[in-house]
Amino acid sequence: MSITLADARVVTPAGVHDGWITIEDGRITHIGRGRAPHGDGHGLDGRYVVPGFVDVHTHGGAGGSFPSGDQEEARRIAAFHAAHGTTTIMASLVTASLADIARATTALAELCEDGVLAGIHFEGPYIARSRCGAHDPALLRDPSPRELAGLLKAGRGHVRMLTIAPELPGGLDTIRAAVSDGVIAALGHSDATYDQAIAGIEAGCTVATHLYNALPSLHHREPGPVAALLEDERVTVELINDGLHVHPAMLRLAARAAGTGRAVLITDAMAAAGMGDGTYRLGPMEVEVSGGAARLVEGGAIAGSTLTMDVAFRRTVREVGLSVADAAVMASLTPARVLGLDDRVGSIAVGKDADLVVMDEDLTVHRVMRHGTWITTP
């Protein structure tokens, strides 16, 4: 089956051009400029076509939660975010008992094997009590390579990322163990000093979990982990652009310091994404959502977001001031590189999967394609 998307504004890392895209058997086979060579193409009336979004940090949506380990919920979450342009999604868990983490991991690994999920992310339990945010402090643990090995076994090779505080006892050894097992080590929920953050990076941390949030703030005499993470070329920084977690000025600062090649947009979405205000759960914690803001019922800490990637993309252009091409790199190509999937997804290029998002002039989603098949209707 062949389909040509004509009269499009094609968004690539190099910029935006008027042109067309041909797709055959789920892959992009031709990209051209100007008018399509065939008259039977699907005209897009000058709409943007951007690569499908890649979200490396998502806890839930549509009323469902990945930490529950419920496969039906997980499929519903993936379908919900796909309708908002996220064609590649990783399931993020939260701090829980080791038994509960292992149980959820085993269940979600099956969906990774089915191609529903791109992997599993452990956010906790190896994080700092002082920066635990919406994680249950009673369930936090000091990092242990041996414990981690057991959890990775439950994932059958599908655990892709571990968020960890490097300053904790056993932290550096656990980072090294994770990396040696092919797991991305992400520094986050940490009270590390600048020097401790450097040590974590040297041990193997290559991602910053939601930069700024659950980390000490930048200070001119005590730069802390944020400065270490931004200045090191080996580190990719996650950013939540929902208007609540990070001010647009700080997003601009991160994008300029790290460049779009080291900055990724994430949602950190929880069950309330796509739902109304009310009470929800994030792992073992109860969360109250009011006006779209999710906070713990007890203590009031921010508890994930109700964000979708299309909104994050639009805000990055409108509120932060980046170009559509740069926003696409942050939402698609850079996170695809983090996961080692950029040979298949993340940009519009010949040979890659036809994971595409058609967007109107105002950057709202018009239609979404995954593997060459439309999954939404206009």
Side-chain angles (χ1 to χ4, degrees), residues 105-117:
T105 299
T106 298
L108 295 174
E110 292 184 18
L111 299 187
C112 295
E113 290 157 2
D114 290 344
V116 176
L117 303 175

Side-chain angles (χ1 to χ4, degrees), residues 224-293:
V226 172
L229 294 162
L230 282 175
E231 70 180 358
D232 197 299
E233 295 293 328
R234 294 169 290 184
V235 178
T236 301
V237 298
E238 297 179 349
L239 297 163
I240 308 172
N241 189 4
D242 63 351
L244 174 65
H245 280 78
V246 184
H247 190 282
M250 296 302 278
L251 284 158
R252 279 192 293 274
L253 176 65
R256 288 170 180 167
T260 57
R262 290 202 297 117
V264 304
L265 298 177
I266 62 166
T267 63
D268 196 19
M270 46 82 71
M275 308 292 286
D277 289 351
T279 303
Y280 299 86
R281 298 202 72 81
L282 180 58
M285 308 299 280
E286 193 172 30
V287 178
E288 183 70 28
V289 177
S290 178

Side-chain angles (χ1 to χ4, degrees), residues 162-223:
L162 168 72
T163 294
I164 185 169
E167 75 277 12
L168 295 177
L172 298 181
D173 286 341
T174 304
I175 291 167
R176 296 185 189 101
V179 173
S180 70
D181 277 325
V183 176
I184 301 159
L187 193 156
H189 285 277
S190 166
D191 229 351
T193 64
Y194 176 84
D195 289 338
Q196 288 171 328
I198 292 294
I201 295 167
E202 291 296 336
C205 283
T206 54
V207 169
T209 293
H210 45 53
L211 188 74
Y212 302 124
N213 299 112
L215 292 171
S217 298
L218 277 169
H219 189 278
H220 57 288
R221 285 190 294 273
E222 296 179 7

Side-chain angles (χ1 to χ4, degrees), residues 2-12 17-24 28-44 47 49 348-350 356:
S2 174
I3 179 173
T4 295
L5 306 181
D7 191 17
R9 298 174 73 183
V10 182
V11 180
T12 72
H17 70 263
D18 295 334
W20 50 275
I21 304 167
T22 297
I23 297 133
E24 297 177 7
I28 298 169
T29 56
H30 299 85
I31 303 170
R33 293 177 178 268
R35 293 177 60 86
H38 306 295
D40 58 351
H42 292 242
L44 298 182
R47 292 183 174 91
V49 181
I348 298 175
V350 171
L356 304 170

Side-chain angles (χ1 to χ4, degrees), residues 56-71:
V56 300
H57 190 150
T58 322
H59 298 287
S65 180
F66 285 134
S68 73
D70 185 297
Q71 292 183 347

